[in-house]
Every structure is written in C-alpha cells, then in structure tokens.
Amino acid sequence: MTAELVRGQNHTLPQTRLEIRVSAGAPVVAGATLGDEHGRVHGIEWIAHPGSPQLPGLEVSRQAAAEHRLAVDLAALPVEVHRVTVLLALPLEAGGPNRFGAVASPFVAVTGLDGAEIATFTLTGLDTESAVAALELYRRQGAWKVRAVGQGYAGGLAAMLADLGVAEAPELARSIQAAVARGLARSVAPPPPRTPEGGRVRHAGGPVSPQAAPQPEPLDEPSSPSPAITPVAPAPPSAGGPINYAHPRREATAPPPPPPAAPPAEPGRPATPVAGDATGWSMDERLYNQVWGMFEDLARATAAYRSAVDFAESRMDQELERTLSDPRSRIGGAGDRAREEARAKRDELTGRAREALDRDLAQLAAEAAVVEPALPAAYAGWDNPVWHAYRVPMEIPMALRIGDLHLPESTGLSIPLLVRLPLERGMWIDSGRTASEAAALTDSDQLRRLAMESAVLHAARMLAVYPPNEFSVHVIDPAGSGAAALAPLVGAGVLASPPASGPGGVTSVLAQLTRRVDLVQMAIRAGAADSLPPDLDPAEQLLIVNDFPHGFDDRAVTQLRYLADEGPSVGVHLMMVADREDASAYGPVLDPLWRSLLRVTPVADDHLADPWVGHAWTYEPPRTPSGSRVLEQVLERVAAARRTGHR
C-alpha cells in the first residue's frame, strides 16, 4: 500500500534498491546530496547533480526535465553516509518560470524497481521559492526511512546548498546551472504532456516488460500506475513554460482510440505489431505517437539493462571485498572459490538482463519493420518508396524527420528523430571536428561539404512538406564555398533569392529578416496582424548560414543572435552550418546562440540525449540513396507547385 506523505511525515523503506520519480509542471533540475549521521555534506564530492550525475549508490539526471528518475542503491552507499536529500531547482533559462508558485506542484514518488510506489509526496504551498529540498532518505538504527521535507528557498539553488553546509555553494550553483544550460542545448525536445486518454496501446507481449523497465506515470495522475505510455496529443504548456506544443489543427477533446489491432497473441508469444498502434485524430498523429513510444520504450529498456549490469558489478565487488577482508579466505583455495562464485553470479545476472533486453529489442525491431513503410513523407527516410509518389501537401504536417537515433546496445535498431512543426528552435549543423569516431576519420574540408549537404536535405524536406509558397528559404554563403551542395536548391529555383555572398549580401538578407521579425512582433503587440505591409512575405522563413562567422561583422552577429532568439515565435528560423572553433574569437558572446539551436552533425555522433533518462544517443544524419535522383524529383515538383501560385 502506498504511503501518501505530508511535510515531516516518514515511512519505513522495505528495500534498498529504489527509484525516485519526479513529475513537475515545468523542467526542473534534480540532484541529491549525501550526508553523515549529523546531516553534514562533507564537500562537493558528496553532491550528485547534472554536471556530476553519479556517486556510489546514486545517479541523477544529466539535464533539466519535467520528469526525472533517480536511481538509488542504499546498500551501495559509503558506510559513513546516513542521509540522502533529494533537491529540485528551476533552471535559469530565458522565458522559463522563476518560482515554483508559477507551475504545478511537483510530485515525488519513491518506488521499487518494479514500479510499485512505496511513498509519495506532493510539494504544495510553494510560492516564491525557486529551489526545494523535496525529501530525504535516512538511516535510523540500521533501517532506512523516507521523510517528506518540502523546504523551499527563495534564494534559489545557492541558498539551498549553503543551508546544507556546502562551503562553495554559489560557485557550485553556477556550475550546475551551466551544466543544465549545456544539457538543454543537446537535448531532444520532450514530447507533449500525456493525458489519461492518450496512452500508447500495448498488447500482451509488448516490447518492454515491467520487470525489465519500470514504466512512466502520467503527468496529470502521478499516483496511479500505468502501462507503457508514449507522448500523444499535443496540449498547451503549463504556466510559465516557454514552448507551446499546441498543433494548429488540434482538437480540444480527447482523441479517438486507435483502430482495431491485430488479433491477440497466443499466450507466451509477442503480439503482432501494427502500424498506427497509438491514439490520435489521424493516422499521421497515431504514427507520430507510435514513433515516440518506440523511442521511449527503447530508452527505458536500455536503462533497465544498464542498471542491472551496474547492480551485478556492484554486487560482485561487494562480495569480493567482504571475502578478501576475512583473513580465513586467504588460507587454501577459499579465496579463489569466492571469486569464481562472485563472478558466476555476476555473469548470471548480466546474462538474464541481456536476454530481457534482446526480447525487447526483437519486439521493437518487428514494430519498426511495419511502422517504417507506413510513414508519411514528412516522417519517412529518403529511401522510403513514399517519395516516389510524392505530391505537394495542402496542409502542414505535425512533425518532420531530421535523422535517426540509436544506442550502442541496439545498433541495428534506429528510431526516427521527429521534431514538431512549426519549428520551435533552429538547427546548428556542426561542421567541426567532434569527438566522434566518424568525424575523426573525416578531413575538415569533407566535413564542411557534408554539413552543407545535410543542410540542403533538411531544407528540401521542409520545402516538400509545407504547402506551396508557405515556406521560403534564404541562404547566406559569404565566400560561395557551398555552391556545389546548394546546386539542387538553386537549380530547381526553390530559393527565395540567389544565395547571398560578400558583406553586402550578408547585410541585405539579415536586414530583410530582422525587419520582418520587428514588423510582425509590433503588429501582434498592437493587435493589428492584418495590417502588415503588402511586401512582407507571410510564409515561414528559413535562413541557412554557411561558414559562420566568415563575412560577419559585429552588427551582423548581433542581428543573427536576435533572429535566433526572437525569430521562431514569428516564423523565422535559423540553420547554422558552422564550426564553433571558428567563432571562438567571440568568446562567450555567442554561447546563447549555440544553446538556442538544436545541434546536429553531418556524420554519426553520440551527442543527443533523450528527455526521459538522458542516454547519449548516436545521431545519424539524413542521406539520399546512392545514385538516386529522389531529391531532384521532389524539388522539381515543389518548384512546379510554387509556379502555379497556389497557396
């Protein structure tokens, strides 16, 4: 039975391996401190936070998110640790809430590894506080208990850390917020909040077994367990949130259930996968929800496997340490036998975990095999036959595919990376030499060429999925180095104007788009959106910038930052093709620019994180099949539709 705690109340913990689940109305930073028998934190090395997420027996999220899962193994904590305090804080991001009173009350649950709730606590009554000590796990007379704390701090993270006795509290708070800002820049945007009616349909034998991976709780019903749930119908953001996930054609009522699925599977056999096996108003929405469900299932299944392997290794180390600390084990072959037994237990546990993961991967691979061919053009890879029957759409799709993601444990299984439309943040295609193996094997000139080719593929897809003349693409190529890669766009005549080169071209394009942002913002503030000048293009605008910062003076850099910050809200989006090292002379001035853009790469690179458990996913950029003319054919049809003048 779940204990619903109030401030100050405690409850005995029946086990030592736990999860602490956090649900909040906005992205929050989650961390934890270790304390001795007097509650003192001995130093920053006793604090787990996004910049240093792992301690013995404790792991926290690497980024700010509306949902967190903290892994705790009380038996693996250092012997001098008697207290674990869970901390929450609001990130210092532009446009985000700056006090807990502006968001829904955070909810914290202590669960077992099977997802069963042991104790829950809703942090009500918060107002001006921007940081809070949510709850603490403490050891009393050999037994572990949980206590609801709910102590808020209007002074934020620094004040909370100082109250816990951390000497370097202000410096540590700044470093944590900096780590969070870096995490936000690399994180895949989380999907819309879930609703009780919007669960992903899972039949008997679905891919992620509850024993292998505890399943998420709905955001609006945090105390009730649920099966595997995927993000579904978009909903308005919570108070204070900077992003509006509402789709232009989204119905206000609950979506209808999915169509009848395949017949139930025989007992003990996995269900037959079905494309569109999720709720939604249309097949496109169902497929979108299903893809995000596969993404989440793979993330959580892999997290369960990694957690099991870590536990097996930790258990073996503890058993070996106990054995070797006993002098009697050094006589005869007792020590060798103990080592063999510990390693055998470790191998057994990891083998069972791998079997569970392989079952889940096999089911997800079978689901991907039926979902991929059913995807519409906006979600499909360039090798999908749907492009051969491409027709220019008459309405904007829900989302756009910008690549694929996979994990080291599942290299044969890729998940489409879908981002919502209209775009809510620009893109940065990193043309520099990153830490990935693929980048290390590619010379600098080839990386720049591949980066520009990736930008062209992204732009072509956006042109293809928007109705005629509702999406315009501008290009700044100061030195003309991207001419070869831009040839498909230039040759088809789908650019708003020829690629701008030289200082004059840079100035002209930036002035035009900056003016557009200013005019639209003024019209919206004045409530006169219908009084815009007739020469202003009402279409969504995309600006591709190649070889930044070459050809940019200080004024141009300022305008670019302005477009990155203010442009998305009025339909102006950036796609930067740049090596950050080339812009290092600007120092931290450009840090907000990089953080505001979603970074992708022209070669495989494991830099993106999922919004659930924060795995580092390998991103694979889009590619057209070798020798195929699918890109040219699609652009020809886009150009033909634009020439007819239909909107």
Side-chain angles (χ1 to χ4, degrees):
M1 181 176 180
T2 303
E4 298 182 2
L5 305 180
V6 296
R7 275 187 178 85
Q9 189 176 3
N10 60 39
H11 183 73
T12 301
L13 295 172
Q15 58 201 77
T16 58
R17 296 200 70 212
L18 307 165
E19 275 196 343
I20 299 176
R21 303 183 181 184
V22 178
S23 297
V28 297
V29 182
T33 62
L34 305 181
D36 60 17
E37 64 271 20
H38 303 294
R40 291 194 300 266
V41 179
H42 286 196
I44 60 174
E45 66 276 7
W46 276 32
I47 304 175
H49 56 82
S52 179
Q54 290 182 319
L55 294 177
L58 178 64
E59 183 172 3
V60 303
S61 303
R62 300 172 187 269
Q63 61 195 58
E67 287 186 279
H68 290 275
R69 293 191 176 199
L70 284 62
V72 181
D73 185 354
L74 298 173
L77 294 172
V79 293
E80 59 269 29
V81 172
H82 288 252
R83 185 175 301 177
V84 179
T85 304
V86 177
L87 315 176
L88 305 177
L90 293 170
L92 300 178
E93 58 175 322
N98 57 11
R99 59 188 185 90
F100 276 109
V103 301
S105 298
F107 172 86
V108 185
V110 180
T111 77
L113 296 187
D114 59 354
E117 292 180 344
I118 299 169
T120 63
F121 176 41
T122 302
L123 285 77
T124 58
L126 298 175
D127 186 11
T128 61
E129 299 89 345
S130 59
V132 60
L135 53 78
E136 62 181 13
L137 313 178
Y138 64 98
R139 181 160 49 189
R140 182 69 52 82
Q141 297 179 345
W144 282 93
K145 297 183 178 182
V146 57
R147 177 187 291 121
V149 180
Q151 175 64 54
Y153 296 85
L157 188 57
M160 179 167 59
L161 292 172
D163 190 48
L164 292 170
V166 179
E168 309 88 347
E171 295 80 4
L172 179 59
R174 284 194 292 270
S175 70
I176 292 174
Q177 293 289 3
V180 170
R182 291 193 298 271
L184 289 171
R186 66 187 282 268
S187 174
V188 177
R194 297 187 290 268
T195 62
E197 298 85 356
R200 183 184 185 199
V201 175
R202 275 285 174 239
H203 306 290
V208 180
S209 61
Q211 294 80 8
Q215 301 304 329
E217 308 289 340
L219 291 180
D220 50 358
E221 289 188 336
S223 61
S224 61
S226 74
I229 295 179
T230 183
V232 291
S238 57
I243 297 176
N244 181 5
Y245 287 109
H247 190 263
R249 298 179 306 283
R250 178 71 174 91
E251 301 287 347
T253 56
E266 299 177 12
R269 297 175 63 91
T272 302
V274 178
D277 189 10
T279 57
W281 288 98
S282 65
M283 179 56 78
D284 285 4
E285 187 174 359
R286 290 169 181 155
L287 288 168
Y288 170 82
N289 294 333
Q290 187 172 14
V291 167
W292 269 97
M294 294 164 60
F295 189 7
E296 183 175 4
D297 283 351
L298 181 54
R300 297 200 185 281
T302 305
Y305 169 72
R306 292 180 180 179
S307 177
V309 171
D310 289 343
F311 171 71
E313 294 286 349
S314 174
R315 175 174 174 173
M316 182 186 71
D317 292 342
Q318 292 176 20
E319 290 180 353
L320 290 176
E321 184 178 355
R322 284 196 299 267
T323 299
L324 296 177
S325 64
D326 185 354
R328 292 171 297 179
S329 66
R330 302 168 192 167
I331 302 174
D336 293 337
R337 287 194 300 272
R339 291 187 187 92
E340 292 175 2
E341 290 174 0
R343 292 184 180 119
K345 289 179 183 177
R346 186 270 315 271
D347 294 342
E348 179 187 1
L349 290 173
T350 55
R352 284 160 49 190
R354 185 71 218 193
E355 289 176 4
L357 177 64
D358 287 342
R359 286 195 301 270
D360 294 342
L361 293 180
Q363 183 66 10
L364 283 168
E367 187 172 11
V370 299
V371 169
E372 189 72 41
L375 295 177
Y379 306 172
W382 286 106
D383 57 349
N384 193 308
V386 71
W387 287 107
H388 297 297
Y390 166 75
R391 294 291 182 272
V392 178
M394 298 310 295
E395 57 182 22
I396 303 171
M398 287 187 62
L400 183 82
R401 184 173 185 159
I402 63 170
D404 296 89
L405 299 171
H406 65 79
L407 291 169
E409 292 87 350
S410 56
T411 53
L413 175 62
S414 293
I415 303 296
L417 176 53
L418 304 181
V419 297
R420 298 299 299 269
L421 289 180
L423 293 174
E424 292 164 343
R425 62 194 293 197
M427 295 173 63
W428 164 30
I429 304 176
D430 191 348
S431 60
R433 189 174 296 279
T434 63
S436 73
E437 181 180 354
L441 297 175
T442 309
D443 64 54
S444 298
D445 291 339
Q446 187 177 6
L447 279 174
R448 289 188 173 90
R449 177 180 61 80
L450 291 174
M452 198 60 193
E453 289 176 357
S454 293
V456 168
L457 287 176
H458 290 307
R461 183 182 288 265
M462 293 179 198
L463 285 165
V465 303
Y466 270 77
N469 297 318
E470 290 194 14
F471 195 85
S472 296
V473 178
H474 307 260
V475 177
I476 291 179
D477 187 19
S481 60
L486 290 166
L489 298 177
V490 175
V494 293
L495 294 178
S497 58
S501 60
V506 172
T507 301
S508 175
V509 173
L510 290 178
Q512 175 187 346
L513 293 177
T514 302
R515 171 179 176 266
R516 184 189 189 280
V517 172
D518 289 339
L519 290 175
V520 174
Q521 284 185 335
M522 287 189 292
I524 292 174
R525 283 195 291 266
D530 56 348
S531 62
L532 291 168
D535 64 334
L536 187 138
D537 182 3
E540 296 271 318
Q541 310 286 313
L542 174 69
L543 173 59
I544 302 175
V545 178
N546 186 32
D547 271 353
F548 177 80
H550 303 301
F552 282 73
D553 56 21
D554 290 346
R555 175 178 171 78
V557 169
T558 301
Q559 289 177 311
L560 202 62
R561 285 188 54 186
Y562 176 72
L563 292 177
D565 292 339
E566 305 294 335
S569 63
V570 292
V572 177
H573 313 283
L574 276 185
M575 185 179 292
M576 303 281 292
V577 181
D579 178 359
R580 188 169 183 172
E581 290 300 317
D582 290 344
S584 58
Y586 287 94
V589 170
L590 290 180
D591 285 349
L593 173 63
W594 305 123
R595 288 198 297 265
S596 69
L597 305 173
L598 174 63
R599 175 177 171 258
V600 296
T601 52
V603 294
D605 191 279
D606 59 349
H607 66 284
L608 290 177
D610 66 78
W612 301 286
V613 293
H615 291 317
W617 292 72
T618 297
Y619 168 79
E620 295 280 355
R623 292 279 186 268
T624 55
S626 178
S628 170
R629 293 195 69 255
V630 61
L631 177 63
E632 290 78 9
Q633 292 169 355
V634 168
L635 290 176
E636 287 171 3
R637 293 175 186 173
V638 170
R642 291 163 69 93
R643 286 193 295 269
T644 64
H646 296 302
R647 293 198 56 81

